Amino acid sequence: MGRLTMTVSRRVIQALLVAVVVGVLCFLMSETLPGDQAFRVAAGRYGIDLVSVQAAETVRLDLGLDRPWWQRLAAWGGDLARGNLGLSLVSGEPVLDELAHQLGHSLLLAVLALGLSMLIGPPLGVLMAWRAGGAVDLAGLLLAAALRAAPSFALGILLMLCFSVWLPLLPTAGSGEPLGWILPAGALALGLAAMSSRVTRDAALAAMRAPPVFFGVTRGFSLWQAVQHHALRNALVPVVTYLGVQLVVLVEGVVVIESLFAWPGIGHALVHAVVARDIPMIQGTALVMGLLFVGLNMVVDALCLAIDPRGRAS
């Protein structure tokens, strides 16, 4: 069995475990939340001002919320085995249909954020390595530490104040026009770029100080030519690997940033589902986010095998 086949098989098994564990944990945590679930669902359906005890009881009977919790969990497991995530308790629409619509917006935001971070982080890291120990390196390290320490919601609010309030150049929320994409993507990208610049700096510095590069320079190559021919692939492997770690930050940030900028993605949907106690939507959104994380890590593993032939040989 090839290394790539083993990697894909391992990730598929992880995806199955993620589906079961995430679904069960979401169900159990939702069940332990205080308050009446039928009342919360009725508030999501009819509005908080129109909810009555009779409406809550009607919702409870219609949705089978009076059944024991283990029967409802077993029914969800059976639906999941058939590829069915059930119906939203609030809207009555299939969870898969709602997630398909919201996932497109989340993927757009994630791609924009990753693209922006790759435009900022790696070039800044290479510049820092090129000027290691100088003022540019020190300023870059301090900036990266500050951006990494700042939570994504604080970066989002700061960008709103700068570019929507003090300089009214960009809208504060909404996804209807491309100008509205800049601030949420930028808030996610700054944290990602901070980490990738540090990793790129260390990888590039190690590559420039590697013996093959020194040997290339003594043969008459410029430093950049020596790095390009003898060390660039080695430097790319840790950068690409670290993208997998960045995905954790991206998944965490999407929930906060989508809510902050009213972005209609799965993170925004998850927050609304938790407020409304819509358990099928909570399980569905958490499941999609977990599987997305596993899938993107599988892509990162494949890229590392493609870049470094030593991984394929082992």
Side-chain angles (χ1 to χ4, degrees):
M1 183 182 292
R3 183 69 182 272
L4 181 59
T5 306
M6 290 178 59
T7 301
V8 172
S9 302
R10 188 171 68 246
R11 292 300 183 188
V12 169
I13 294 173
Q14 283 184 353
L16 294 175
L17 291 175
V18 165
V20 174
V21 172
V22 167
V24 172
L25 285 180
C26 287
F27 182 88
L28 295 178
M29 286 190 290
S30 301
E31 284 292 310
T32 56
L33 288 175
D36 187 349
Q37 182 185 359
F39 189 88
R40 299 300 305 175
V41 173
R45 282 187 171 188
Y46 310 119
I48 190 67
D49 296 331
L50 301 178
V51 177
S52 62
V53 175
Q54 183 179 4
E57 287 303 320
T58 302
V59 167
R60 194 189 315 279
L61 294 176
D62 286 345
L63 300 179
L65 299 178
D66 54 337
R67 292 180 298 167
W69 66 269
W70 57 269
Q71 288 186 7
R72 286 180 282 135
L73 181 59
W76 174 82
D79 289 340
L80 180 64
R82 294 190 294 271
N84 181 13
L85 296 181
L87 302 176
S88 167
L89 299 184
V90 176
S91 66
E93 298 293 326
V95 173
L96 276 176
D97 291 348
E98 295 208 7
L99 291 179
H101 172 71
Q102 294 152 356
L103 185 61
H105 288 87
S106 291
L107 288 179
L108 172 63
L109 182 60
V111 169
L112 289 174
L114 274 177
L116 276 176
S117 72
M118 296 307 290
L119 289 176
I120 299 171
L124 179 61
V126 171
L127 180 62
M128 290 159 61
W130 203 266
R131 302 295 182 190
V136 173
D137 186 26
L138 181 60
L141 290 174
L142 290 175
L143 179 63
L147 289 176
R148 183 65 191 97
S152 55
F153 76 88
L155 291 175
I157 293 174
L158 182 62
L159 290 177
M160 277 184 178
L161 290 174
C162 290
F163 298 104
S164 297
V165 178
W166 298 330
L167 298 173
L169 300 174
L170 299 171
T172 55
S175 60
E177 55 182 10
L179 282 179
W181 305 350
I182 297 176
L183 290 186
L188 284 172
L190 287 177
L192 299 175
M195 290 194 298
S196 62
S197 66
R198 292 289 304 271
V199 174
T200 305
R201 174 195 178 273
D202 294 341
L205 202 58
M208 286 190 289
R209 292 172 177 173
V213 175
F214 176 76
F215 180 69
V217 172
T218 60
R219 291 177 59 196
F221 289 114
S222 67
L223 180 58
W224 169 244
Q225 288 174 326
V227 169
Q228 187 178 9
H229 287 290
H230 299 293
L232 188 58
R233 279 196 168 195
N234 290 340
L236 279 177
V237 172
V239 176
V240 174
T241 303
Y242 208 72
L243 280 175
V245 180
Q246 286 189 318
L247 296 176
V248 178
V249 179
L250 190 61
V251 172
E252 290 174 354
V254 158
V255 177
V256 178
I257 293 299
E258 286 184 352
S259 300
L260 184 63
F261 288 94
W263 188 271
I266 58 174
H268 192 232
L270 177 61
V271 173
H272 279 271
V274 171
V275 172
R277 299 282 291 274
D278 191 348
I279 293 180
M281 279 299 297
I282 296 173
Q283 290 173 309
T285 50
L287 182 64
V288 167
M289 294 171 79
L291 294 180
L292 191 63
F293 181 72
V294 174
L296 291 175
N297 271 286
M298 185 169 65
V299 173
V300 169
D301 289 343
L303 284 175
C304 288
L305 289 176
I307 292 172
D308 189 356
R310 294 172 299 181
R312 297 196 294 272
S314 63

